[in-house]
Amino acid sequence: MSSIIKSVKRWFATPATETPGAGANTQIISRDQHSISRKDISDNALKVLYRLSNAGYESFLVGGGVRDILLGLHPKDFDIATNATPEQIKELFRNCRIIGRRFRLAHILFGRDVIEVATFRAHCDDNIQQAKEGMILRDNVYGDIEEDAIRRDFTINALYYNIKDFSVHDFCDGLADLRKRQLRMIGDPETRYREDPVRMLRAVRLACKLNLTIEHNTLKPVAELSHFLEQVPAARLWEEYRKLFLAGAAKLTFQKLREYGLFHALFPATDRALKHDDSPQTNATEQLVLDALENTDTRIATEQTVNPAFLMAVMLWQPLLESTEALQQKGTNFNDAFFKSMARVLNAQNQHISIPRRYALVIRDIWSMQLRLPAYHGKKAWSVFEHPRFRAAYDFLLLRSQSDPRQKELADWWTKFQEADANDRRQMLQKTGTGKKRRRRKPRNQKRQPANKNKH
């Protein structure tokens, strides 16, 4: 944190110069007055910046890439803004594809690395299609850099790094807000949230990730407008879910989403389960989620892989159990109720966050393995142990055992089994009473060999 504070103070050591002809609040911070260096920018982003600039277009690194470098962080994504249209960008880059309907963007592909290039957007006018509630449906109206800055969401995201002279352009007092450690909306917050309700989620994510305080007026309308998230396509919210919970501050993000009334829009069934009467089961449910989120943050901090399906399986575990119990009360046996509930819970969740099929299959495997893990006898134990999802299912069981003491003995057994060598594993299975090998019986219908009549 001290390194970030030092980095922020460095920009303000020397007064910034006013930009001739620009808005009253516009500042240009020269190269010697800020901490951004080209060595902090990815090689692929620099290639795009320079090619656009050399072709005669304006070319700026913008948004999170600029913000994070100024904060002393190491951004993974680098977005670029330009006055070139998507078609003009495509002419410059063979590895370019144009995406988007609401606002068209150019993606420059370098293998798995994608550099997103956006054309400067204009002020809202009659050419921009909006729903009656204010949500922007289509926005392919281009403008200049000052208009583009005003159209961005938060002031700290309206900072532009010019590749021509390495200066930083600040149009909305974003540097001052970074110094105050606050997140402030550009324009009227209620109007901006109506234009794009996802901005409410983004406010929480950035505040938690960057340790910022959400400015009072920016936060005030959030709870009242949370229902507008229902208008956002479920497929778009899958990516927002990943950004919210896989950025290294999942536990705090979860707590703030609940505090601001946004969690229900993402996980209504889970939210209902957490709002039940203060019972031991409810406490166990919340503890399971908190343990999983804390574990996710730890894995990200130590640069371990994280599968978004695992956390989704945790979030929906209690709704799955409640649905199973409801079917059992109607006379369905437990196994049938459990597997029917898997489909029901996932289908219901897909109405809010659309889960890609490949992740839904992982979730199903993790859940179904919870029924197989207790069968740690003989061949069944080996079958479970060799399952491709065993490790994820075991990790899930460990989390359950932290909030439910009834699962501890089973979790301990599987922990010991994994750590044991081959001989110890055989002994563990023998102790279960079914680990010994059975003699193979001959088939009853085996034909007897005919007697040799010529034998003397």
Side-chain angles (χ1 to χ4, degrees):
M1 184 62 65
S2 60
S3 62
I4 294 177
I5 294 174
K6 289 179 181 178
S7 180
V8 175
K9 285 182 176 179
R10 180 181 170 187
W11 324 319
F12 296 90
T14 308
T17 56
E18 290 287 338
T19 307
N25 294 329
T26 303
Q27 295 179 324
I28 290 184
I29 295 86
S30 63
R31 174 64 190 90
D32 61 341
Q33 297 175 30
H34 65 75
S35 59
I36 297 178
S37 170
R38 280 170 291 175
K39 67 180 181 182
D40 299 318
I41 304 172
S42 77
D43 291 340
N44 292 330
L46 288 173
K47 288 177 185 177
V48 176
L49 286 166
Y50 276 120
R51 187 175 298 183
L52 285 167
S53 180
N54 293 337
Y57 299 110
E58 295 180 59
S59 180
F60 293 83
L61 185 70
V62 66
V66 179
R67 176 199 71 216
D68 288 356
I69 295 174
L70 288 173
L71 286 174
L73 304 175
H74 302 285
K76 295 181 180 179
D77 298 320
F78 295 91
D79 296 336
I80 292 171
T82 179
N83 60 347
T85 65
E87 292 74 20
Q88 291 170 329
I89 297 168
K90 191 173 179 64
E91 290 179 2
L92 290 176
F93 298 91
R94 291 187 300 173
N95 53 333
C96 171
R97 67 178 181 184
I98 298 175
I99 67 161
R101 295 175 61 184
R102 180 174 170 271
F103 184 77
R104 300 177 76 209
L105 300 166
H107 277 184
I108 315 299
L109 309 177
F110 297 91
R112 293 185 177 182
D113 187 19
V114 178
I115 305 299
E116 185 172 281
V117 184
T119 306
F120 296 145
R121 290 176 290 178
H123 288 301
C124 291
D125 59 21
D126 294 336
N127 295 318
I128 295 176
Q129 299 180 25
Q130 290 181 273
K132 61 181 180 180
E133 298 86 358
M135 184 175 176
I136 294 179
L137 303 177
R138 190 160 299 182
D139 184 14
N140 293 306
V141 183
Y142 307 128
D144 58 32
I145 188 171
E146 292 182 50
E147 291 177 302
D148 187 74
I150 295 173
R151 288 292 308 278
R152 292 189 175 271
D153 47 14
F154 305 106
T155 61
I156 61 173
N157 289 337
L159 300 170
Y160 296 72
Y161 174 78
N162 190 350
I163 196 62
K164 275 191 173 181
D165 60 7
F166 317 125
S167 60
V168 172
H169 295 226
D170 179 6
F171 295 92
C172 304
D173 291 330
L175 292 175
D177 283 330
L178 276 183
R179 189 182 186 186
K180 296 175 184 176
R181 309 294 301 172
Q182 77 171 2
L183 190 70
R184 181 167 57 91
M185 181 68 73
I186 298 172
D188 175 59
E190 182 173 342
T191 301
R192 304 307 305 279
Y193 290 142
R194 288 178 180 272
E195 290 174 355
D196 185 1
V198 169
R199 286 173 178 149
M200 292 183 281
L201 300 178
R202 199 173 298 151
V204 176
R205 174 169 60 87
L206 290 176
C208 294
K209 176 184 175 183
L210 302 174
N211 192 28
L212 305 176
T213 300
I214 302 178
E215 185 260 342
H216 173 73
N217 291 328
T218 301
L219 180 60
K220 186 177 179 180
V222 168
E224 182 181 346
L225 301 179
S226 61
H227 65 280
F228 278 93
L229 284 168
E230 297 173 5
Q231 302 175 12
V232 180
R236 184 182 176 197
L237 288 182
W238 169 259
E239 286 306 315
E240 292 303 320
Y241 155 75
R242 294 185 60 165
K243 293 176 182 178
L244 282 165
F245 294 105
L246 303 182
K251 185 175 179 179
L252 180 60
T253 299
F254 166 75
Q255 293 168 332
K256 291 300 181 182
L257 287 173
R258 294 190 68 197
E259 179 183 343
Y260 302 148
L262 296 171
F263 186 74
H264 180 81
L266 301 177
F267 294 96
T270 307
D271 191 52
R272 287 192 296 269
L274 292 167
K275 286 181 178 178
H276 283 172
D277 292 338
D278 189 17
S279 63
Q281 183 58 48
T282 303
N283 291 335
T285 300
E286 184 173 2
Q287 192 59 51
L288 174 67
V289 173
L290 290 173
D291 288 343
L293 294 169
E294 189 172 343
N295 179 62
T296 299
D297 290 340
T298 300
R299 291 183 65 87
I300 291 173
T302 55
E303 298 185 348
Q304 298 181 66
T305 58
V306 177
N307 191 328
F310 183 88
L311 196 54
M312 183 67 73
V314 173
M315 292 287 192
L316 300 177
W317 177 246
Q318 185 59 29
L320 172 65
L321 296 182
E322 292 180 359
S323 176
T324 300
E325 184 178 356
L327 288 176
Q328 281 186 281
Q329 291 176 354
K330 295 179 180 180
T332 307
N333 68 66
F334 175 78
N335 276 6
D336 288 346
F338 187 85
F339 285 98
K340 284 181 180 179
S341 293
M342 287 201 298
R344 286 188 177 187
V345 170
L346 288 174
N347 288 339
Q349 183 60 40
N350 278 330
Q351 304 304 310
H352 305 276
I353 298 176
S354 183
I355 307 170
R357 185 172 180 273
R358 66 182 183 277
Y359 293 116
L361 292 174
V362 175
I363 295 169
R364 285 174 174 269
D365 282 345
I366 291 173
W367 285 344
S368 61
M369 286 285 286
Q370 301 310 299
L371 302 189
R372 297 182 61 189
L373 285 166
Y376 54 93
H377 308 295
K379 291 182 179 179
K380 288 186 177 180
W382 286 112
S383 176
V384 171
F385 185 62
E386 293 170 357
H387 193 282
R389 304 292 181 206
F390 168 78
R391 184 67 201 191
Y394 164 75
D395 289 343
F396 193 91
L397 175 63
L398 280 183
L399 284 173
R400 291 174 59 205
S401 70
Q402 293 177 25
S403 56
D404 184 357
R406 295 172 297 178
Q407 308 300 327
K408 190 174 188 311
E409 182 179 352
L410 179 61
D412 289 345
W413 191 92
W414 278 111
T415 300
K416 185 177 178 182
F417 187 78
Q418 291 181 83
E419 296 172 352
D421 58 25
N423 290 330
D424 289 341
R425 285 175 180 172
R426 282 194 291 268
Q427 291 178 10
M428 289 178 66
L429 294 177
Q430 287 173 0
K431 288 180 180 179
T432 65
T434 56
K436 295 181 180 179
K437 292 184 178 180
R438 298 179 179 179
R439 290 187 63 185
R440 185 175 179 182
R441 298 178 61 182
K442 294 182 179 180
R444 290 183 178 182
N445 296 329
Q446 186 176 5
K447 294 183 178 180
R448 297 178 63 185
Q449 293 293 333
N452 190 346
K453 297 180 179 180
N454 296 325
K455 186 177 180 181
H456 297 285

